[in-house]
Amino acid sequence: MTETVGLTGRALVDALERIEPDSPEAHALDVNEVAGAIDPKDLGKDDVRRLLAALGRLAESAPAFDLRKVDPARFANLVARASRTQLESVVAERPLRERVLREIFDRMGAHIRQDRAKTLHAVVHWRMSGGQGDAGYDRYETVISHGECRVGRDMREKPRVTITIAPVDFFRLITHQATPAVLFVTGKIKVKGDLAFAAGLIGFFDLPKPS
């Protein structure tokens, strides 16, 4: 039994920051249990950033701490229960922004609804504001083709739709905290191309719902 087991909230975040990646204590932890023991609503505005940074540091030497190991429902719950201020703190730190966005896009292939997308071929270009790419955007391309979804950073195909959105609003969208319609009418999402397809895009994915 390690001193970290049984801790929750900010005390757990503090403990994770102190752990050395190659220590016996680190190897005794389970990243899913860590994610399940954290409720962002019990944390301060910078603590979610601290949590993800600590897990990222540990994952550099201990792959078991990689975000890919976190159960989809727990990952969705962690993101959904975080406040806008907490999420803005995360995306303000470039490595964390890239890590969380990569994690979400990499999971898309696992969540595609093959029954709905089996006859579909559509390319979506995503532009995440506040980035370091062309014109200040981080760009991702998702290709939905015959029941599969591929993701890349290079814009290789002509898009059916191009979606411009801030990362925090993207997080809210994929965790069912906001709908495309609400984001559109409030000016938080911009769509170029097939508006009807963009409105129903999330329906092609079986995204985990937070508890």
Side-chain angles (χ1 to χ4, degrees), residues 131-153:
Q132 294 185 337
D134 291 345
Y137 296 103
D138 289 327
R139 299 169 189 263
Y140 295 82
E141 179 182 82
T142 53
V143 180
I144 303 171
S145 184
H146 306 296
E148 296 182 351
C149 180
R150 304 189 307 274
V151 177
R153 296 299 303 271

Side-chain angles (χ1 to χ4, degrees), residues 50-205:
R50 292 174 55 219
L51 169 67
L52 295 176
L55 291 178
R57 178 181 64 85
L58 290 170
E60 291 176 359
S61 300
F65 281 93
D66 196 289
L67 288 179
R68 287 175 293 182
K69 304 292 184 180
V70 178
D71 177 80
R74 283 184 171 172
F75 183 75
N77 208 50
L78 184 66
V79 174
R81 291 184 66 80
S83 69
R84 188 175 193 92
T85 300
Q86 288 171 328
L87 292 175
E88 286 175 345
S89 178
V90 170
V91 300
E93 188 166 317
R94 186 69 195 178
L96 290 183
R97 171 191 169 104
E98 292 182 349
R99 187 177 299 130
V100 175
L101 284 172
R102 182 179 67 244
E103 184 60 30
I104 291 171
F105 277 104
D106 284 351
R107 289 176 184 241
M108 280 189 169
H111 295 304
I112 190 74
R113 291 195 57 170
Q114 295 182 346
D115 57 333
R116 293 188 178 181
K118 61 183 178 181
T119 62
L120 176 68
H121 180 83
V123 177
V124 180
H125 285 178
W126 300 85
R127 304 197 314 167
M128 299 290 162
S129 61
Q132 294 185 337
D134 291 345
Y137 296 103
D138 289 327
R139 299 169 189 263
Y140 295 82
E141 179 182 82
T142 53
V143 180
I144 303 171
S145 184
H146 306 296
E148 296 182 351
C149 180
R150 304 189 307 274
V151 177
R153 296 299 303 271
D154 296 324
M155 307 298 102
R156 298 181 181 276
E157 298 190 39
K158 182 178 179 180
R160 182 167 176 174
V161 65
T162 298
I163 298 174
T164 302
I165 191 170
V168 172
D169 291 312
F170 177 64
F171 299 157
R172 296 177 63 231
L173 177 65
I174 56 93
T175 56
H176 305 278
Q177 305 303 298
T179 65
V182 169
L183 292 174
F184 184 78
V185 299
T186 55
K188 293 180 178 178
I189 188 171
K190 297 180 180 179
V191 178
K192 179 181 179 181
D194 189 336
L195 292 176
F197 172 73
L201 177 59
I202 296 300
F204 290 104
F205 296 89

